[in-house]
Amino acid sequence: MSRAVWAMGTLAVLLAGCAAPATHQSVTPVAPMQMGLAGGPAPYIDQAWWRSFGDPQLDRIVADATGGNPSLATALARVRQAQAGLERQQAERNLDVSADLSPQVQRLSGRYIIPPPYGGSVRFVGTGVVNLSYNLDLFGRQQAAILEARQSAQAARYDVAAARLAIAGSVVQTYLDLVRADAQAAIARATITERERSLRLVEAQVRNQLASKVQSTAAATLLAQAREALTAAEGSRALAVNALAALAGRGSDYGAGIGPTAARLDAGLPVPTVLPADLLARRPDIAAAQARIAAAAAGQQVARRAYYPNVNLTALAGLQAIGIGNLFSLDAGTAGGGGAIHLPIFEGGRLRAGLQSATAQVDLANAAYNERVVGAVREAADALALSTNLQAQRQRAEQVVRGFAETGRLNAVRVSSGLNSQLDLVDNDVRLLDARLTATNLAAEAARQRVALVLALGGGFSAESVQP
């Protein structure tokens, strides 16, 4: 009994001497309530939210981009790398079996431990053994390392979800630029047709001395303005097509397959009126930051438990003999087993530095999380404010269009009645085209901001859908 008590006391003293020093974190994660997230839950968002625009061509481009974008390929490669790291850490807990085979011809010393006739002669010396080793992980260091690797792999998976969402969002917003260009080009073409007809009419009047050259010049100027608007719209369309090809990870020939757009700019996307309380739980980048905090905390435990003994069980079995004929005899058998204990006693501050570094890594993960939270809240708040503001701007712009259209109609009546000159239509026609282009631009911007709000709300992300 006294020996057992002595052994337990000795172990207690050793473990007490191996205790890791206290560490203190200087950064803590911010709480959602600190960010003013006190509203109700966010509205439901379908993970394929872009289908609300009702354009099969858009659906196809999103599918191409989320399958072939180089940024997504990078994120997927990081997942594979993190998964391999996890499997490597898990393998450290398994039984390690290896075999050593060492056949060689050797002159044995005649003045050493082997006497004549073997000593002093050249002989075959053969060894063939199987080695077994198993880490007991009594203090959980390897378990903490596995947890660190698992959380790092999960963070990489969340990064993939965030990359997919960002790519889909970029495609949809770029496609809305394409829709805007098509709509403005349609307005310009309709205006060109109308103004070409007006120019022909004025030129006929000039030939019949019913109108002046000034009126003809004014009509030609209005036509040039419309053609300028068409050229600008076509240029914007070309840039949008090139951007979509790049997002899809394709070459310039990809744009040849992008035809006229059919997306509805007023598509019904879920738009809350206040910042939702569950905003942070809906975003993949926030989930990735949280997983990295957990990974850093596990890494801190790995560094802390490095102060404790590492206990391994070892065993070997095989054959050892001098002379080929003796190698396969029963007496050539050898076997052994035991334990190996590694206990850090003096390591020059290496373990302390490792623990301090791991603690700093936790602070860095917390700081990165806090930075991401602040950014997420601002993104959502900005998108919500701009979406509301653009909706109000659209209403005003539509009123302006209706006003100029009505003014133009009344002016045309007065011109046909001889009360006004054709020149009186010029200023209003210029303003009407600009107003129509502006209204279309605001409609596209409003749609883009609704997309930005959907992205800020996580785009239908669910942590449960991203499983190991």
Side-chain angles (χ1 to χ4, degrees):
M1 177 64 71
S2 61
R3 291 183 178 179
V5 172
W6 181 84
M8 292 297 292
T10 302
L11 181 59
V13 171
L14 289 174
L15 293 180
C18 295
T23 55
H24 303 283
Q25 294 172 208
S26 58
V27 183
T28 56
V30 66
M33 294 300 293
Q34 294 176 258
M35 303 304 299
L37 301 177
Y44 170 76
I45 301 175
D46 189 276
Q47 289 189 345
W49 48 269
W50 54 86
R51 294 179 182 171
S52 300
F53 287 100
D55 192 334
Q57 180 172 248
L58 172 60
D59 300 341
R60 172 179 63 82
I61 297 174
V62 171
D64 290 344
T66 53
N69 188 281
S71 298
L72 185 60
T74 300
L76 289 170
R78 287 174 179 156
V79 169
R80 293 192 295 271
Q81 184 182 46
Q83 185 62 35
L86 172 60
E87 292 174 358
R88 183 173 61 251
Q89 292 294 345
Q90 289 174 330
E92 293 291 333
R93 298 188 64 181
N94 297 333
L95 180 66
D96 184 32
V97 180
S98 63
D100 293 322
L101 182 63
S102 177
Q104 57 182 302
V105 176
Q106 179 180 351
R107 184 187 185 283
L108 303 177
S109 172
R111 302 294 182 179
Y112 194 45
I113 59 175
I114 301 176
Y118 292 105
S121 63
V122 176
R123 301 282 180 169
F124 171 85
V125 179
T127 301
V129 295
V130 176
N131 307 291
L132 292 88
S133 177
Y134 181 73
N135 187 349
L136 294 179
D137 195 26
L138 294 179
F139 301 99
R141 180 183 181 185
Q142 192 58 39
Q143 183 178 359
I146 291 173
L147 178 59
E148 179 185 14
R150 180 177 290 116
Q151 291 297 333
S152 295
Q154 189 67 2
R157 295 187 189 95
Y158 289 142
D159 285 341
V160 170
R164 281 200 174 99
L165 177 60
I167 291 168
S170 295
V171 168
V172 174
Q173 290 186 317
T174 304
Y175 195 83
L176 290 175
D177 290 338
L178 183 62
V179 174
R180 169 178 21 210
D182 282 351
Q184 290 183 335
I187 292 172
R189 290 190 185 97
T191 304
I192 288 172
T193 301
E194 178 184 343
R195 291 181 179 179
E196 284 177 339
R197 184 169 58 250
S198 296
L199 179 60
R200 288 194 298 269
L201 177 61
V202 171
E203 287 176 340
Q205 291 175 337
V206 169
R207 288 193 298 271
N208 294 316
Q209 298 183 348
L210 298 176
S212 67
K213 188 65 176 176
V214 174
Q215 291 175 316
S216 174
T217 302
T221 301
L222 289 175
L223 177 59
Q225 181 211 15
R227 286 173 174 167
E228 179 188 14
L230 177 60
T231 301
E234 290 174 340
S236 297
R237 189 183 203 283
L239 293 178
V241 167
N242 291 340
L244 289 171
L247 286 168
R250 309 294 179 84
S252 58
D253 58 334
Y254 184 80
I258 299 178
T261 58
R264 303 186 302 271
L265 290 178
D266 288 323
L269 294 175
V271 178
T273 57
V274 295
L275 293 182
D278 60 348
L279 170 65
L280 302 183
R282 289 174 168 267
R283 292 183 55 121
D285 55 341
I286 299 296
Q290 290 173 329
R292 289 191 169 91
I293 291 176
Q300 185 184 41
Q301 291 303 313
V302 172
R304 186 178 299 280
R305 290 166 187 174
Y307 281 83
Y308 293 92
N310 187 30
V311 181
N312 289 318
L313 295 180
T314 61
L316 62 87
L319 301 171
Q320 291 179 328
I322 298 176
I324 296 178
N326 295 331
L327 186 61
F328 300 101
S329 65
L330 294 178
D331 287 342
T334 182
I341 301 177
H342 172 75
L343 180 65
I345 296 176
F346 179 76
E347 31 67 41
R350 178 177 53 84
L351 296 182
R352 179 184 293 274
L355 180 57
Q356 290 174 344
S357 175
T359 302
Q361 190 63 38
V362 175
D363 285 338
L364 286 172
N366 285 332
Y369 170 80
N370 292 344
E371 183 179 0
R372 186 61 267 172
V373 166
V374 172
V377 173
R378 179 176 179 178
E379 288 171 9
D382 286 351
L384 183 58
L386 286 173
S387 181
T388 303
N389 181 264
L390 282 169
Q391 187 60 31
Q393 288 188 58
R394 283 192 64 195
Q395 294 174 357
R396 302 291 183 270
E398 289 168 359
Q399 290 176 354
V400 171
V401 170
R402 289 193 296 269
F404 281 127
E406 180 62 14
T407 300
R409 186 188 69 81
L410 294 175
N411 281 341
V413 171
R414 292 178 64 85
V415 168
S416 63
S417 302
L419 299 176
N420 280 4
S421 166
Q422 188 78 24
L423 295 176
D424 295 327
L425 300 178
V426 174
D427 182 66
N428 189 81
D429 284 354
V430 169
R431 293 174 179 269
L432 177 58
L433 177 58
D434 288 341
R436 284 173 173 166
L437 295 175
T438 298
T440 302
N441 183 62
L442 287 173
E445 281 301 314
R448 290 179 101 260
Q449 282 305 316
R450 289 198 302 277
V451 171
L453 184 54
V454 167
L455 298 177
L457 296 176
F461 166 78
S462 172
E464 291 75 18
S465 64
V466 182
Q467 297 298 330

